[in-house]
Amino acid sequence: MTPAAGVPPHGPVREWGRVPEELYARVPAEQRGPGLGRDAVRLLVSRGTAVAHHAFRELPRLLRAGDLLVVNTSETLAAAVNGRIGHARVVVHVSTRGDDGRWAVELRDPDGRGTTRARAGSPAGTRVSLPGGGRLLLEEPLSADGKRLWWARAAGADVAEVLREHGRPIRYSYTEKDQPLSVYRTVFALASPDGAGSAEMPSAARPFTARLVAELVSRGVQFAPVTLHTGVSSAEAHEPPYPERFAVPEASARVINAVRAGGGRVIAVGTTAVRAVESAAGPDGVVRAARGWTDLVVAPGRGVRVVDGLLTGLHEPEASHLLMLEAVAGRAAVGRAYEEALRGRYLWHEFGDVHLILPDESPHASRCAGNGW
């Protein structure tokens, strides 16, 4: 389980440059003022290099009957837990559970402000004490290219139970304060029978509310649920995603294929939904029911086979996620949208504003195979 070959370990820095820290969303939208809900965020809409500014609540009128939204039903876990190495305090970020019962984890140092900072690599054989008397033994790094994430074997404790009793949501330094787990779960989240879930929220879906979903359905927009359990991303190195567990049910595969055959648009809600559905698509663009692990990294060279559009958050210029956006829309369109987002003072990160990429249907536009629109 290593990052895909041929993908740079760090996303290329884009021309539109640095994101000012004052544009980091530090609290959820519903905490920014009285009467606000999750959907009180802004929506940047791009069709090719044409950009428009909207409120997220306007989404139902920006889509059309016959469109399909692919949504990730993964439930966010309380994936951060305190631990100790000897007398030293550490924070364990639990990424995912392997098929052999081991857990992929990242060890970080508490920074004294309620968040964490990167920790120098710990050697194989390191023992981490957990709350309740259990411990983790680091065995080997997930990737030969780096030692941020390690396979660890638990002893004297059920890691899933430790997280339920002592865990908290993973929080990054740009956020203002700790938040309850409910803040990090989307309206589409479903509990997995085996307790699996995401280390980090599939945040593109966060602004959806039950009322907004009902309005979309009433206008003829369909939904296709898929699952992709996200691992711990790199806050510092912006690595491409590691292999993650996913599932595309038979019913969702059928509706996706039917919408495509009928000329409708398939719009993924989040990069996780793109990764899941594209992992289940054959070279012919037909989606088939699938489950297991995916190491697919969607980038311009590979392109997209199924997805016509994408609803996503705003990403840092070094983020590997931008390669996926460029696969869907093209580099020029993404660059133009981000210039407008900076100019318009949009908010970044999981509590921030969102970006809707729709197909460029102007007369001059043409589909470029393997490179999106």
Side-chain angles (χ1 to χ4, degrees):
M1 291 173 56
T2 59
V7 176
H10 311 284
V13 177
R14 271 63 181 186
E15 292 81 357
W16 42 269
R18 187 182 65 85
V19 179
E21 288 191 10
E22 62 266 23
L23 297 187
Y24 294 170
R26 302 192 183 279
V27 296
E30 61 271 26
Q31 297 178 16
R32 294 178 198 147
L36 297 180
R38 285 184 172 220
D39 56 358
V41 296
R42 300 170 69 190
L43 177 64
L44 185 75
V45 180
S46 57
R47 297 176 177 87
T49 55
V51 179
H53 304 275
H54 295 271
F56 185 76
R57 290 169 180 160
E58 298 176 68
L59 181 65
R61 73 175 182 82
L62 295 170
L63 302 180
R64 59 197 186 203
D67 283 344
L68 176 70
L69 293 176
V70 181
V71 296
N72 186 1
T73 63
S74 181
E75 184 177 66
T76 309
L77 302 178
V81 66
N82 293 334
R84 286 187 177 275
I85 299 176
H87 296 293
R89 294 192 303 131
V90 296
V91 177
V92 183
H93 285 179
V94 178
S95 187
T96 192
R97 184 174 182 170
D99 293 334
D100 60 0
R102 295 187 297 177
W103 292 82
V105 302
E106 178 185 15
L107 302 185
R108 295 179 66 88
D109 287 325
D111 63 3
R113 300 188 298 273
T115 54
T116 62
R117 56 177 176 263
R119 177 182 175 85
S122 300
T126 297
R127 285 177 167 78
V128 183
S129 299
L130 298 175
R135 61 188 182 278
L136 293 172
L137 175 67
L138 300 192
E139 292 190 344
E140 61 180 332
L142 265 69
S143 167
D145 301 328
K147 294 186 177 181
R148 183 177 67 87
L149 289 171
W150 283 76
W151 283 120
R153 194 170 298 278
D158 180 330
V159 172
E161 186 63 28
V162 171
L163 295 182
R164 283 192 291 271
E165 292 188 7
H166 303 283
R168 59 188 181 277
I170 290 175
R171 175 189 160 203
Y172 291 114
S173 59
Y174 50 77
T175 56
E176 186 175 286
K177 59 184 179 180
D178 287 342
Q179 298 284 352
L181 186 57
S182 60
V183 166
Y184 290 90
R185 286 179 170 166
T186 76
V187 71
F188 304 111
L190 295 173
S192 176
D194 63 358
S198 288
E200 297 179 359
M201 172 176 56
S203 56
R206 191 184 187 280
F208 283 87
T209 63
R211 180 174 180 174
L212 188 70
V213 170
E215 184 178 353
L216 286 162
V217 171
S218 73
R219 288 174 175 260
V221 176
Q222 301 180 73
F223 289 82
V226 299
T227 302
L228 186 136
H229 298 312
T230 64
V232 177
S233 65
S234 169
E236 292 85 18
H238 299 288
E239 300 163 331
Y242 284 81
E244 294 167 319
R245 197 184 299 275
F246 83 105
V248 176
E250 176 67 33
S252 293
R254 287 179 181 176
V255 73
I256 291 168
N257 292 331
V259 165
R260 297 187 75 232
R265 301 180 298 184
V266 177
I267 300 167
V269 178
T271 58
T272 60
V274 176
R275 195 181 201 199
V277 74
E278 292 289 332
S279 296
D284 56 359
V286 175
V287 178
R288 297 170 177 85
R291 65 173 54 247
W293 293 87
T294 177
D295 60 0
L296 175 65
V297 177
V298 179
R302 188 265 189 192
V304 289
R305 297 170 177 172
V306 178
V307 171
D308 300 302
L310 172 61
L311 179 71
T312 182
L314 295 168
H315 306 285
E316 297 280 3
E318 305 90 354
S320 61
H321 291 302
L322 287 171
L323 293 170
M324 181 182 290
L325 273 63
E326 291 170 4
V328 175
R331 190 180 180 102
V334 174
R336 170 69 178 146
Y338 272 69
E339 288 170 356
E340 280 297 305
L342 286 169
R343 186 177 293 112
R345 309 290 291 173
Y346 279 68
L347 296 180
W348 256 250
H349 297 303
E350 66 265 33
F351 298 143
D353 298 315
V354 284
H355 177 202
L356 175 62
I357 299 172
L358 291 174
D360 183 359
E361 296 173 342
S362 60
H364 68 274
S366 62
R367 185 72 185 247
C368 189
N371 196 31
W373 291 86

